[in-house]
Amino acid sequence: MSSYPSSFPPPITADQEIRLVSEIKQWCINHSLAIKSSEAVYAVDRENVTNAPVTLFPSPFPKSCFEHAIALQKIYNELYAAISDDVDWLDEVLGKYVMDALGDESIHFLFDQSPEESLSLKQVEFNTISSSFGVLSSKVTDLHAHLLNKAGQGTTDIYPAHPLLDPSTTQLPDNGAILNLVSGLYMAHKAYNISRSVPPLPLCILFVVQPNERNVFDQYAISSKLKTDYRIAVFRLEVPDILKHTSIPDVTANTERPLVYTPPKSPQTPYEVSTIYFRALYSPDEYTSNSASSPFTDATSTWSARLHLEQSCAIKCPTVLLQLAGCKKVQQVLADPDPDKSTHLFHRFLPTTPPSTLSSLASTFAPQYDLSSTGGGLDLALDDSTARNHVLKPQREGGGNNIYRSAIPAFVAAMSPPEERDRWVLMELIRTPDVAQNRILRSDGEVFSGDVISELGIFGTILWRKKRWYEKNATPAAGGGGGADGSTADNSHGDQRGIVVLRNEEGGYLLRTKARSSDEGGVAAGFGALDSVRLYEEGWEEEARVRELEKESARKSGGYVEKGKGEEDAEEERAGKRAKLDVEE
């Protein structure tokens, strides 16, 4: 049995909240933990910025669940890389959903509290495109560490006393998301190796972004580190300008199909794109001309632009196949309630992974169903008594798309034609602790206080090549094998499947916290806030009581310096004690 900390966060007065909010706002702006202001403000002032939505306190998270998520990240990376390479299987699963399926990698979890009060990890989704907020999530960890440090220096008006806010014992795990994301893009750039253009051109990384992007600081930090740490040229290209500023030489002149980017401000200096990093084109709305979010008046231009990029030899983050592998339908098929079927699929894509690891992986999938007449989900969705325990998800990303609980039966019954049901997946709701609370500072300056739900995302990067390319281009190196780019790779998986994994890394996390009354949780969509993890273990309350008894005993014996005395007073007291000992000796 594991007890969630129901007494957290500690109560604060109105004056304490004002001081804490002021400290957080100043820190956020000073460290670019920020986003551009809302669309209404943006229309008046395009450069107006505000703090990103953040929690006032780090949120408690079970250490065992956190470590479970970390341990599975690289396995998930490998699973979805293998799925994206199996085109026949993807076509079988997604053939009739592809038109509605457009949705660095991150896997998102909630910890599920069973009726027996035990806590376990359940997967919400696996994002394969535009996994945002890696940089800002790292900074939230730094923000909360800063506040804890100030509290440790005796600044009691920042954080009130609480065992989970004791700086000497608080566990805020390191958050290396920005390093992982940057190094992943660097390794892709390095794997591309040399220019395919004739004559050769300098190489660059291209960020494909949405017009009027609000989350620019999360993106700028990545491009800045690529430029300063690795001396790589990085450019931002908005979706409407793809066909205007990029080109591919005629295949009769160059069969390699390099992607050439011509900077509008210096057209005399074209670059060859080694890596395309998508921070756009993840939503179907971006491919529909009658949508307000579509960058084109002609929807075919969006499709043409994406096809244009896919047909180049640039490394894509992600390819369209990996993007499709992240669809909810794939997740539902992997979560088949028949253990024989799900086990067979895991073995198909992860043939060398130990059975115990596959079992651990399978345990994180919540029950999911399709809405076909034989899929089991239709009856659950149409019945009011069972629908209240489920969420209905479409094949898309971006937030604000799901149908919840009591709204499901009428929504499904009204679907016309009935084939529309094939585009949806019914997922059992994850039971999160109902005692979790926090305070959220929104971007408009308002503070929410009350019941919350936190969703953990673990970032990862994986780089692989087709096995047939690798075998054709691999060049033996002294002491071992190596690719044409000089890289080495673990070929044990390539022997079993069609891919050779060059790099597979886990690094960093994102904790999104939202009001429990809100079904959606997207930070960019305005539903949630960025948070950090305060790890706790079973029995933490008893440990806290023991520490308080030890402190009390130390106070009585004169060996404990009260928090709030300040470093100079503490040093003076220690010096006095040392002098007393010298005299006695």
Side-chain angles (χ1 to χ4, degrees), residues 346-365:
F346 289 138
H347 278 296
R348 172 175 180 155
F349 297 118
L350 299 169
T352 62
T353 303
S356 59
T357 303
L358 294 181
S359 177
S360 178
L361 180 71
S363 72
T364 64
F365 283 82

Side-chain angles (χ1 to χ4, degrees), residues 312-542:
S312 75
C313 68
I315 296 173
K316 294 92 181 173
C317 180
T319 64
V320 71
L321 289 174
L322 181 58
Q323 184 173 342
L324 290 173
C327 289
K328 304 299 188 295
K329 182 62 181 178
V330 171
Q331 184 184 8
Q332 178 253 310
V333 172
L334 292 173
D336 194 298
D338 183 340
D340 291 335
K341 290 183 180 179
S342 59
T343 300
H344 170 74
L345 282 176
F346 289 138
H347 278 296
R348 172 175 180 155
F349 297 118
L350 299 169
T352 62
T353 303
S356 59
T357 303
L358 294 181
S359 177
S360 178
L361 180 71
S363 72
T364 64
F365 283 82
Q368 296 172 60
Y369 314 90
D370 64 38
L371 297 183
S372 66
S373 58
T374 59
L378 186 58
D379 290 340
L380 294 172
L382 292 174
D383 187 328
D384 289 336
S385 64
T386 52
R388 69 183 60 171
N389 298 318
H390 291 83
V391 54
L392 195 62
K393 296 183 174 185
Q395 310 300 319
R396 60 193 298 175
E397 299 296 340
N401 304 306
N402 298 337
I403 309 298
Y404 288 84
R405 305 180 187 87
S406 59
I408 294 175
F411 184 84
V412 173
M415 286 183 181
S416 180
E419 290 75 20
E420 176 68 17
R421 296 170 182 167
D422 294 337
R423 299 173 183 264
W424 295 79
V425 167
L426 189 73
M427 177 177 173
E428 186 176 294
L429 284 170
I430 300 169
R431 298 156 297 186
T432 56
D434 57 8
V435 295
Q437 293 193 333
N438 209 325
R439 294 172 184 256
I440 294 173
L441 172 61
R442 303 189 331 189
S443 293
D444 60 7
E446 295 295 318
V447 176
F448 162 83
S449 177
D451 297 337
V452 297
I453 295 174
S454 295
E455 178 181 308
L456 176 70
I458 306 296
F459 290 101
T461 54
I462 182 168
L463 178 66
W464 73 93
R465 277 203 169 114
K466 295 281 189 181
K467 182 183 178 186
R468 59 180 180 271
W469 186 99
Y470 194 87
E471 290 177 339
K472 177 181 177 182
N473 293 275
T475 315
D485 58 3
S487 62
T488 59
D490 174 6
N491 200 27
S492 60
H493 303 305
D495 290 339
Q496 302 292 329
R497 300 163 298 182
I499 63 173
V500 174
V501 176
L502 302 175
R503 181 186 192 272
N504 185 8
E505 296 295 336
E506 164 276 319
Y509 70 88
L510 161 69
L511 192 69
R512 294 187 301 188
T513 294
K514 65 175 182 178
R516 190 174 187 86
S517 58
S518 172
D519 284 324
E520 299 293 345
V523 176
F527 299 111
L530 300 170
D531 198 349
S532 70
V533 167
R534 195 301 183 193
L535 298 179
Y536 73 92
E537 299 183 71
E538 191 169 342
W540 70 271
E541 291 171 304
E542 181 60 30

Side-chain angles (χ1 to χ4, degrees), residues 12 31 46 104 183 185 198 206 270 321 441 449 472 538 582:
I12 57 176
H31 294 82
R46 296 173 65 89
D104 56 351
S183 62
L185 289 170
V198 181
L206 193 65
L321 289 174
L441 172 61
S449 177
K472 177 181 177 182
E538 191 169 342
D582 291 341

Side-chain angles (χ1 to χ4, degrees), residues 244-285:
K244 186 188 305 181
H245 298 306
T246 65
S247 61
I248 299 175
D250 188 281
V251 69
T252 58
N254 191 330
T255 58
E256 296 280 354
R257 301 188 66 80
L259 181 66
V260 177
Y261 170 69
T262 304
K265 294 183 179 179
S266 55
Q268 70 281 3
T269 311
Y271 286 78
E272 182 176 332
V273 179
S274 70
T275 308
I276 305 169
Y277 179 41
F278 286 100
R279 294 297 292 257
L281 296 177
Y282 52 82
S283 169
D285 292 342

